Amino acid sequence: MASYSFLRVAVSFIFIVTYVFANDTLYFPKDFLLGTATAAYQIEGGWNESGKGESVWDWWTHENPSLIRDGSNGDVACDSLHKYKEDVQLLSDLGVDFYRFSISWPRILPTGYANVINQEGLNYYKNLINELLAKDIKPFVTLYHWDHPEIFERMGGWTNEMMVEWISDYARVVFKELGPKVKYFMSINEPNVLCGEGYGENVKAPGKNLGSPGVFLCMHNVLKAHAKIYHIYDKEFRKYQEGTIGIVLPCSGALPKNPNDTAAVNMHFQFNCGWIAHAIFSKTGDYPEIMKTHVADNSKLAGFSKSLLPELSSEWVQYIKGTSDFFGLNHYTSKIVETVPRMKGEGWYDFSGVKQSIDPSWPKSASDWLRVVPDGFREIIKKISKEYDNPPIYVMENGFSDKCCTFDHLRISYLYSYIKAMLLAIYEDGCNVKAYAVWSLLDNFEWGAGYTERFGLVNVNFTDSNRTRTPKWSTIWYKNIIATRKLTSIFNLPTAISVL
Ligand code: PNW
């Protein structure tokens, strides 16, 4: 008798919860695309297989295992080089509209240069694309997610302007060989993270530790490279391939410490997102004005005769402007920002002029930089839309890290709150968001954190040579969202049963 009442209470509770959330339901707009994302070095493995050359990440992790938290590397990673069919099956089970993955430059061009094309490497991507298309999944292809050929690093990497030419030659090969079956290309993933952590610091490959001058120089060359890649696609391939191409920028959110301090929010935006975005998406082009004056001031105070921010000639400004068909947005978290009063004769807070902090009450993830702040997501989407005249926004990464386990309710709650914020930006703020990808399909090599931080919808067992994949609860949840095209925070029982 007692257990019967318990059952009744439990069932009623489920109905009440369902009802409450059902009333809270938001639908995705028609034609909205849902997918997941990965990157070559983080999942492929096969670092010296299939005729692949050495990448800067192969070199850096082999040379500096102590800089990776668990001393690991991407030599095997998820072994997707061999298990791509299984990955595509997982994607197909999820029901995604698209899959974002990146191409390993040295797998296609082992010498780095376009003089030698490695057919075996190329075939890997051709097979992957065919497999995706056979399951009705659109390939979203990133040309470059930080793993350039090591040979070019020995010549200065992104501090050498020749990289613009080398990556352009590579891009041309990819467009020619893979472009006939790909409608969505992304040039370069997150210039700021690559240049800031790889050239400014020693946190990511190539770990150059060059400080601000190195970051400015790297960003300058990456921006030019992106523009050149865009023009190559636009002039030589678009007519026949009828695809789109854009850049992917990491834009973290900013909430003002003092509610009236919109200047701090703007300053943070321009130094974070606007640095590259202004040059590409604004009407005037070039680096943001506020950034030019600010860096010039700080450079002078530091005793330099010229600004550390290199100048873009008017030819380059024109050449770069308008070179993205969509705004590729990677977003994970936010900061609290405040304007720092400037003392006479002293530089502002680093080169950005804002002090950043976090609210300790924001829920944590397994990554120290990632706190859960969904409002910041809505704000950044609104800011991008306002700054650049409502461009189509493709969210190409959004996700949450934990340490382990397949019952990942914190990931579900993160994704729910962030997708809700995005849908509100669409419906209530009129923003033009067209696509959304969860980072990531699989647990994978999380750069300096090795395998200690897990972002996957699918668990990967890295101690098992088979790299066994096990869908987490978030897979079940996301599958239901994709199938119903509506956002609910609860599990759908039939979906759960069909997956388990
Ligand atoms: C992305 N932030 O980088 C990368 O594109 C992925 O390769 C990576 O695995 C993923 O994030 C998770 O780290 C970012 O501090 C790193 O806001 C940090 C930030 C944003 C993006």
Side-chain angles (χ1 to χ4, degrees):
M1 194 62 183
S3 67
Y4 175 68
S5 332
F6 170 75
L7 198 67
R8 244 180 18 168
V9 171
V11 169
S12 319
F13 179 70
I14 290 171
F15 271 110
I16 291 166
V17 171
T18 311
Y19 179 72
V20 168
F21 283 111
N23 271 350
D24 195 28
T25 300
L26 282 163
Y27 283 84
F28 287 86
K30 194 174 161 286
D31 299 331
F32 193 91
L33 299 175
L34 289 163
T36 69
T38 60
Y41 185 72
Q42 294 178 274
I43 67 159
E44 280 177 9
W47 79 279
N48 58 359
E49 284 179 63
S50 81
K52 177 179 164 293
E54 188 182 25
S55 84
V56 70
W57 268 93
D58 296 321
W59 175 82
W60 194 67
T61 52
H62 293 158
E63 288 289 311
N64 305 286
S66 64
L67 294 179
I68 308 296
R69 197 177 301 153
D70 54 5
S72 67
N73 54 50
D75 286 3
V76 180
C78 306
D79 197 22
S80 290
L81 180 69
H82 301 111
K83 294 174 77 84
Y84 72 91
K85 285 191 182 168
E86 212 179 299
D87 294 347
V88 176
Q89 190 54 51
L90 286 165
L91 289 160
S92 174
D93 292 344
L94 259 172
V96 292
D97 301 310
F98 71 91
Y99 176 48
R100 176 183 177 222
F101 61 94
S102 81
I103 310 269
S104 158
W105 176 353
R107 197 177 296 286
I108 290 196
L109 304 180
T111 66
Y113 302 95
N115 64 330
V116 181
I117 298 178
N118 173 30
Q119 198 55 45
E120 204 184 332
L122 206 48
N123 286 347
Y124 169 64
Y125 297 107
K126 288 193 171 173
N127 292 339
L128 171 60
I129 289 168
N130 286 337
E131 195 76 12
L132 288 166
L133 293 174
K135 308 248 186 220
D136 213 16
I137 300 167
K138 297 176 189 7
F140 274 45
V141 174
T142 311
L143 293 177
Y144 173 71
H145 200 121
W146 310 343
D147 50 350
H148 55 274
E150 164 56 18
I151 179 82
F152 295 137
E153 198 48 52
R154 282 187 250 149
M155 292 188 262
W158 284 109
T159 62
N160 184 343
E161 198 176 344
M162 276 304 290
M163 274 294 270
V164 178
E165 300 305 315
W166 296 325
I167 199 170
S168 297
D169 292 344
Y170 156 64
R172 193 176 273 110
V173 172
V174 175
F175 294 146
K176 180 167 172 285
E177 297 288 341
L178 305 180
K181 293 189 176 180
V182 174
K183 300 289 173 220
Y184 300 87
F185 277 112
M186 280 147 281
S187 58
I188 292 171
N189 184 69
E190 300 184 347
N192 315 41
V193 176
L194 161 75
C195 295
E197 297 183 12
Y199 287 84
E201 304 171 76
N202 192 20
V203 174
K204 289 193 162 72
K208 284 287 171 68
N209 232 342
L210 300 171
S212 298
V215 184
F216 288 125
L217 181 55
C218 172
M219 291 289 270
H220 201 62
N221 289 330
V222 168
L223 178 59
K224 290 177 174 179
H226 156 76
K228 184 144 191 190
I229 292 169
Y230 179 91
H231 285 295
I232 288 172
Y233 187 76
D234 203 42
K235 292 208 174 54
E236 300 173 29
F237 298 93
R238 195 196 291 277
K239 199 169 153 210
Y240 310 101
Q241 300 186 353
E242 299 177 324
T244 49
I245 178 160
I247 192 164
V248 181
L249 303 176
C251 303
S252 55
L255 303 174
K257 182 158 192 174
N258 162 358
N260 301 322
D261 196 359
T262 49
V265 174
N266 186 51
M267 186 81 87
H268 174 269
F269 177 83
Q270 300 301 351
F271 272 80
N272 177 248
C273 210
W275 189 338
I276 296 284
H278 193 273
I280 298 173
F281 294 94
S282 75
K283 289 208 167 62
T284 47
D286 204 351
Y287 294 125
E289 210 50 45
I290 202 170
M291 192 174 172
K292 289 202 288 184
T293 52
H294 205 147
V295 177
D297 273 4
N298 265 359
S299 305
K300 205 166 156 195
L301 285 167
F304 293 99
S305 60
K306 273 182 85 168
S307 176
L308 289 178
L309 185 69
E311 263 175 48
L312 285 168
S313 67
S314 54
E315 287 77 24
W316 272 109
V317 168
Q318 292 313 316
Y319 185 78
I320 294 167
K321 206 163 49 138
T323 55
S324 198
D325 302 326
F326 54 84
F327 194 113
L329 167 64
N330 286 357
H331 178 87
Y332 289 87
T333 193
S334 293
K335 293 279 189 291
I336 291 175
V337 294
E338 62 189 294
T339 305
V340 181
R342 188 175 185 185
M343 313 296 263
K344 206 171 172 350
E346 276 181 32
W348 275 337
Y349 228 81
D350 62 45
F351 272 82
S352 70
V354 288
K355 184 177 172 191
Q356 300 185 21
S357 56
I358 56 153
D359 178 340
S361 75
W362 287 340
K364 292 179 178 171
S365 69
S367 312
D368 54 9
W369 54 272
L370 201 175
R371 294 284 185 127
V372 185
V373 197
D375 289 349
F377 191 25
R378 182 167 172 184
E379 288 306 312
I380 196 75
I381 294 172
K382 275 162 69 178
K383 178 78 174 160
I384 292 165
S385 305
K386 191 164 159 232
E387 283 285 307
Y388 308 123
D389 208 10
N390 223 8
I393 296 175
Y394 292 7
V395 177
M396 290 288 93
E397 284 180 33
N398 175 238
F400 178 85
S401 62
D402 53 20
K403 293 269 177 212
C404 74
C405 309
T406 45
F407 182 55
D408 55 342
H409 59 99
L410 292 177
R411 174 165 295 103
I412 294 172
S413 122
Y414 173 98
L415 293 174
Y416 170 76
S417 64
Y418 272 69
I419 293 176
K420 184 172 177 183
M422 174 184 75
L423 290 175
L424 291 175
I426 296 173
Y427 289 121
E428 294 191 4
D429 309 320
C431 300
N432 192 14
V433 188
K434 299 282 208 198
Y436 173 89
V438 173
W439 182 272
S440 177
L441 171 67
L442 303 169
D443 286 342
N444 58 47
F445 179 74
E446 178 50 20
W447 309 113
Y451 299 98
T452 65
E453 294 173 14
R454 309 293 190 101
F455 277 88
L457 295 171
V458 174
N459 172 274
V460 178
N461 183 349
F462 293 104
T463 54
D464 168 0
S465 61
N466 233 339
R467 295 299 190 269
T468 306
R469 283 118 161 94
T470 311
K472 304 180 191 178
W473 281 78
S474 54
T475 291
I476 302 167
W477 175 81
Y478 196 43
K479 179 183 167 98
N480 183 43
I481 302 280
I482 298 171
T484 58
R485 299 277 145 181
K486 66 183 183 193
L487 178 66
T488 48
S489 63
I490 49 162
F491 292 111
N492 173 295
L493 211 52
T495 318
I497 291 164
S498 76
V499 173
L500 289 173

